[in-house]
Amino acid sequence: MLRMLVQLLRLETTAQSLDPLLPAQNLEQVLRKHFAQRFDAQQRQFLASAEPRVFIAVKHHNWEQAGLIDSWADVAETVPWDWGNRYDQHASDWYQRQKAAFNDELFERVQAAHKEKPLTHFFSYLSGRWLYPETIWRIGALGIITLNFSFDDSHRFWGKRREGLWTGIASIAPAYDLNITAQHPADLVKYRLAGARALYLPPGGNPKAFANLPKVEKRYFVSFVGQCYGVRKEYIDHLRAHGIAVYTRGGGWPEGPVSHEEMLTIYAASHIILGFGYTGHSRRKTAVKGRDFEIPLTGTAYLTTRGPVLSQYFREGEEILFYRNPDELVNMLRQYAERTDELARIGQAGQRRALAGHGWSHRWSQALGLLRQGLSL
């Protein structure tokens, strides 16, 4: 029976459905109790009043530099570490040698930076495949507040069992002082079931990377930039079969991958940027994504899958456009084909909204504010 229960809880939708059965939780009070046990009064006073100095353990692949690294520098002094290709989580000796070496180096770098000048926070974008919980406990024992950010917990909170730990977030989440989950508020329940503290913050965008498009003529009515997987090809094939030309770039498309600079040029040259809100390979479950705020920052109209969370942050028809299925998408694009002036107004309104409150730095400021409240004596 216990084994069956564990298997059920591993199903993401099953875990989310337990939320109404759990008692209400005040995260600020939870953090206050947690920090009272973690730090003495002097440490709490320092952490609450000091200018934040954050060690950032994030590897850049395509969006992480602008999203998770550069944006922190807007609200704190940062000590970033990007290990590049030095460690490969898919290598045959990962669990035998590389994982331990990565964890050792990570701790040594944090310890050295803290000795040079006290750190207040440690921020990472890592999973249980990369980390041992003990590494986070050791970092926290230095007197540092620990935070982890996750995008994949909507569909890979647990992951697979390897060397006695989950490859997702479940095994390491309780070791952090605070976890930030970004795709759907319902994912918070999984952290609670794992005994971890978590805050939902939607993703954001970096205005420095997206809000200043090159000045080019519009040559694409609708375009999509991103990998070819899941329902994306099906939808785009459907549009093309109905006579709607869609310009695509990214891994798996015939037109090939695209650099950040090329992507911005495509956005500038488009009347509409197409988005897909489904998570992973799902055809039903939607989640909020970084591009949902990055694209509005560009000032080009954004048309994406209707989802209950994203619709809370933009006014439909005024700052963003939503579709529910392939046929509705076809009809909407046909309707707007002769209304490009209206598309321009929607794009500009979406940009104003994103600039006002949807930058990554807005998210980090909110997290820091909550942590300060939790540190209050």
Side-chain angles (χ1 to χ4, degrees), residues 129-372:
R129 188 176 181 91
W130 283 95
L131 282 180
Y132 300 121
E134 293 80 7
T135 302
I136 302 306
W137 291 330
R138 291 178 70 195
I139 291 172
L142 297 174
I144 300 169
I145 298 172
T146 56
L147 302 91
N148 192 52
F149 177 85
S150 180
F151 255 137
D152 294 333
D153 48 5
S154 272
H155 59 284
R156 284 204 295 261
F157 181 80
W158 284 274
K160 299 178 180 179
R161 198 75 171 170
R162 293 288 185 271
E163 304 291 320
L165 297 171
W166 295 112
T167 59
I169 312 299
S171 293
I172 63 172
Y176 284 92
D177 293 312
L178 183 65
N179 296 270
I180 299 174
T181 179
Q183 288 193 308
H184 201 291
D187 292 320
L188 289 170
V189 69
K190 290 178 280 189
Y191 287 89
R192 294 183 65 183
L193 291 170
R197 294 152 299 279
L199 169 68
Y200 172 75
L201 291 175
N206 188 334
K208 296 175 183 176
F210 289 94
N212 298 298
L213 294 183
K215 304 298 183 183
V216 298
E217 292 184 6
K218 299 286 187 183
R219 58 181 181 273
Y220 310 119
F221 174 56
V222 57
S223 64
F224 172 74
V225 178
Q227 294 185 34
C228 178
Y229 73 88
V231 302
R232 296 174 174 183
K233 185 176 186 303
E234 177 183 318
Y235 269 64
I236 288 174
D237 285 348
H238 184 76
L239 291 177
R240 289 169 172 166
H242 286 77
I244 298 174
V246 185
Y247 182 69
T248 54
R249 289 292 298 273
W253 300 108
E255 296 86 351
V258 63
S259 67
H260 181 76
E261 291 72 21
E262 290 175 307
M263 178 178 67
L264 294 182
T265 299
I266 295 168
Y267 289 167
S270 303
H271 288 287
I272 297 178
I273 304 298
L274 184 60
F276 295 95
Y278 299 111
T279 179
H281 290 270
S282 174
R283 293 174 177 269
R284 295 183 302 170
K285 185 179 179 182
T286 60
V288 184
K289 304 180 180 184
R291 69 173 59 224
D292 294 333
F293 299 95
E294 292 169 349
I295 294 174
L297 277 172
T298 67
T300 298
Y302 183 42
L303 171 59
T304 190
T305 315
R306 182 189 300 275
V309 180
L310 184 58
S311 59
Q312 299 175 27
Y313 298 104
F314 294 95
R315 292 195 296 268
E316 183 177 3
E318 298 178 34
E319 299 168 337
I320 198 170
L321 296 169
F322 292 121
Y323 65 87
R324 281 178 286 238
N325 53 60
D327 291 332
E328 185 176 51
L329 178 58
V330 169
N331 292 333
M332 290 186 68
L333 289 173
R334 285 175 173 169
Q335 291 171 17
Y336 279 101
E338 304 301 326
R339 296 156 60 185
T340 55
D341 288 346
E342 184 175 348
L343 290 174
R345 287 193 295 271
I346 292 171
Q348 291 163 7
Q351 183 182 56
R352 288 193 295 270
R353 175 70 67 177
L355 286 169
H358 294 311
W360 280 113
S361 59
H362 293 106
R363 312 306 187 214
W364 312 144
S365 293
Q366 187 174 343
L368 291 173
L370 174 67
L371 291 167
R372 287 193 192 96

Side-chain angles (χ1 to χ4, degrees), residues 73-115:
D74 293 333
V75 298
E77 179 184 346
T78 61
V79 183
W81 180 45
D82 180 344
W83 50 96
N85 297 321
R86 293 186 56 193
Y87 296 100
D88 179 7
Q89 63 171 320
H90 301 294
S92 59
D93 65 342
W94 174 248
Y95 290 106
Q96 291 73 32
R97 185 180 66 84
Q98 287 200 47
K99 183 175 181 179
F102 171 80
N103 279 256
D104 288 344
E105 182 172 358
L106 174 61
F107 177 76
E108 290 166 3
R109 285 179 175 271
V110 173
Q111 187 178 45
H114 189 54
K115 184 177 181 181

